Amino acid sequence: MKKYLIYTLLIWWSFSTAWGQNSIQENDWQTIYLQGMKYKDASSNKKALQLLEKAYELHPSDSIMRDIASVYYDRGIYRKSINISQSLLNNDSLEADLVLIAKSHEKLNNADSALVYEKIIAQKNIENANNIINLAKNYEDRDMLDSALVVLDDFCLYDDENMAVNGLKAYLLYQTGEYEESLEEYRKLRNAGDNSTTTNYYMGLAYARVDSLQESYDCLKIAARKDRYKNQYILAQYGIVASKLNGNEQEGVNIISQAIEKILPDETLMWSLYNTRANANIRIFKFEDAIDDYKRSLTYKPDRLTDIYHIAYLYTIIHDRANADRHFKMFINNAQKSANPDRYKRWIEAAEGYLKRSKEEHFFQGDDENLKDF
């Protein structure tokens, strides 16, 4: 009986102790809060939200409310995150509140609202690089490139070594036509260790804009190699520049051919590539290939009448008089019917001069069949 009583007391004591501990935990906001944050760190956001809201009920505080707003953001409930963060705003608001509001508006594609908060954050802390980049990109989306460059310059007064900011600055300088300044920024990036595909690509484009073709070629070749020759636009620019360099024309033709295979059906760029490849083929005396390229380019821009003239002229070089005559006549007919015939006056006169000489040659050779066409 005595042993039974002791056993009963032990059972009662263990249950009462466990109940007491559970009772304390259920009302211990700090323990509940820490558990919630563990779930948040593990991206178990739904469970984290339940615990953090319970902790807030037991111990209302701005700190817990900020964590709740953050969890709503992580769960993709952006409007709720905004509402909570806005309720915390005052004259001494934490930068984190403003950042979360700005980020939430970005997620909701409320670009105007995001811009407002990004500007406020920049005024409070110009050294917040992520915000500066978001603000500059927001300006860029509005074609306000000068404003974007102003905020980037302001940031660089405090920190001119941030590669993400400097990369965006170099790109925007290129977009505004400040090619020398853009190159200066890209060279800084390269010296800092940035040898990425993007940096080499835009550096190559900028060099091309200032007619530094060898430097452009070097950068674009690196960009294409780093991209494993997959990006058609990098290949296109690489090929165009290579085709303009003495001794690299055949390489340019080959690279442009690779770009053409990948780039269909971008009609504007296809015309440019075929036209560039035609010019490169002329420089390496592949006149029949050049004729074929000009004909292909005309399928994308039929109103490009000078291409018809070039085809006719190339036929004269390979002594195909019949096709030369036909294309010169085609050129004259289309040019005279165009909206601005005076634009083609010089070419029309040259074509008419060739046809006159061709007619005389047919006459003296007794070529009555071809004379019927004149």
Side-chain angles (χ1 to χ4, degrees):
M1 182 69 181
K2 184 176 181 181
K3 288 182 179 180
Y4 177 78
L5 180 60
I6 293 172
Y7 179 72
T8 303
L9 288 171
L10 286 172
I11 293 175
W12 176 84
W13 178 81
S14 63
F15 272 111
S16 63
T17 301
W19 179 86
Q21 288 176 342
N22 288 337
S23 178
I24 292 171
Q25 289 179 355
E26 288 178 2
N27 293 286
D28 182 359
W29 71 268
Q30 291 177 316
T31 300
I32 295 171
Y33 171 77
L34 291 174
Q35 288 175 340
M37 292 303 292
K38 285 181 179 180
Y39 279 112
K40 181 179 184 299
D41 293 340
S43 298
S44 298
N45 292 316
K46 193 168 184 179
K47 183 64 175 177
L49 189 60
Q50 294 172 348
L51 291 168
L52 290 174
E53 287 180 338
K54 176 64 175 177
Y56 182 79
E57 289 176 9
L58 297 172
H59 183 77
S61 74
D62 290 352
S63 177
I64 297 176
M65 188 60 75
R66 287 188 177 93
D67 291 320
I68 291 172
S70 178
V71 174
Y72 273 117
Y73 176 86
D74 292 340
R75 287 187 64 189
I77 308 174
Y78 304 118
R79 178 55 59 188
K80 187 74 171 177
S81 179
I82 290 170
N83 292 340
I84 294 173
S85 296
Q86 284 180 329
S87 71
L88 298 170
L89 294 182
N90 53 57
N91 293 332
D92 297 320
S93 298
L94 294 180
E95 184 178 331
D97 299 331
L98 298 167
V99 168
L100 193 57
I101 294 172
K103 286 167 56 181
S104 296
H105 278 301
E106 288 283 3
K107 290 291 188 180
L108 292 170
N109 293 319
N110 297 333
D112 291 339
S113 297
L115 181 66
V116 169
Y117 286 97
E118 287 162 359
K119 288 168 69 175
I120 294 171
I121 297 165
Q123 290 169 356
K124 283 178 168 286
N125 180 15
I126 192 64
E127 296 182 70
N128 185 327
N130 290 334
N131 180 69
I132 291 298
I133 290 171
N134 291 335
L135 176 56
K137 287 182 176 179
N138 215 328
Y139 278 131
E140 180 194 358
D141 291 341
R142 290 167 166 72
D143 292 324
M144 298 170 65
L145 301 187
D146 289 340
S147 296
L149 285 168
V150 167
V151 299
L152 293 174
D153 284 338
D154 288 344
F155 175 88
C156 289
L157 291 175
Y158 294 90
D159 182 359
D160 63 354
E161 297 182 14
N162 186 296
M163 294 179 74
V165 172
N166 292 342
L168 180 57
K169 182 180 177 181
Y171 168 75
L172 292 177
L173 284 168
Y174 173 82
Q175 293 296 330
T176 56
E178 300 293 341
Y179 304 121
E180 292 288 1
E181 291 185 43
S182 176
L183 281 169
E184 183 179 347
E185 293 299 326
Y186 277 124
R187 282 191 286 266
K188 288 180 183 177
L189 286 167
R190 285 276 291 269
N191 291 336
D194 181 357
N195 196 33
S196 65
T197 299
T198 299
T199 291
N200 279 288
Y201 175 63
Y202 282 105
M203 198 173 183
L205 295 184
Y207 271 125
R209 291 288 191 173
V210 297
D211 294 325
S212 296
L213 293 183
Q214 185 60 57
E215 291 82 355
S216 175
Y217 168 84
D218 293 339
C219 290
L220 291 170
K221 188 171 185 177
I222 292 171
R225 187 176 69 245
K226 283 183 167 292
D227 186 61
R228 298 184 180 181
Y229 303 93
K230 293 179 181 178
N231 187 296
Q232 60 266 40
Y233 297 103
I234 295 176
L235 289 174
Q237 297 301 327
Y238 168 27
I240 288 170
V241 170
S243 70
K244 294 178 181 178
L245 283 174
N246 290 332
N248 294 86
E249 293 91 347
Q250 187 60 58
E251 179 185 4
V253 168
N254 295 340
I255 295 298
I256 288 173
S257 299
Q258 291 181 46
I260 287 171
E261 292 177 4
K262 296 174 179 292
I263 213 160
L264 290 168
D266 188 330
E267 294 188 1
T268 301
L269 189 52
M270 288 298 294
W271 171 84
S272 177
L273 290 177
Y274 277 122
N275 215 267
T276 300
R277 193 170 73 175
N279 291 331
N281 275 320
I282 290 171
R283 293 176 63 186
I284 54 178
F285 308 108
K286 292 185 175 181
F287 302 120
E288 292 182 354
D289 289 343
I291 289 170
D292 184 60
D293 283 334
Y294 276 128
K295 287 181 177 180
R296 288 174 182 270
S297 73
L298 279 169
T299 64
Y300 295 99
K301 282 193 177 182
D303 58 343
R304 184 79 175 187
L305 302 185
T306 51
D307 285 353
I308 300 175
Y309 181 90
H310 290 144
I311 291 170
Y313 183 75
L314 287 169
Y315 274 125
T316 69
I317 294 176
I318 62 174
H319 307 293
D320 187 339
R321 187 186 299 168
N323 273 314
D325 291 349
R326 184 165 64 87
H327 282 85
F328 274 128
K329 289 173 186 176
M330 186 190 307
F331 168 75
I332 292 171
N333 183 51
N334 288 329
Q336 290 176 338
K337 291 179 180 179
S338 69
N340 185 13
D342 290 341
R343 176 186 177 188
Y344 303 104
K345 183 178 179 181
R346 178 167 60 88
W347 287 286
I348 291 173
E349 290 175 351
E352 288 175 339
Y354 168 82
L355 290 173
K356 182 180 178 180
R357 292 190 299 275
S358 180
K359 182 178 180 180
E360 292 171 353
E361 290 179 14
H362 285 302
F363 174 77
F364 286 115
Q365 292 173 3
D367 190 354
D368 295 335
E369 186 66 29
N370 281 310
L371 276 172
K372 294 177 183 178
D373 296 330
F374 284 91

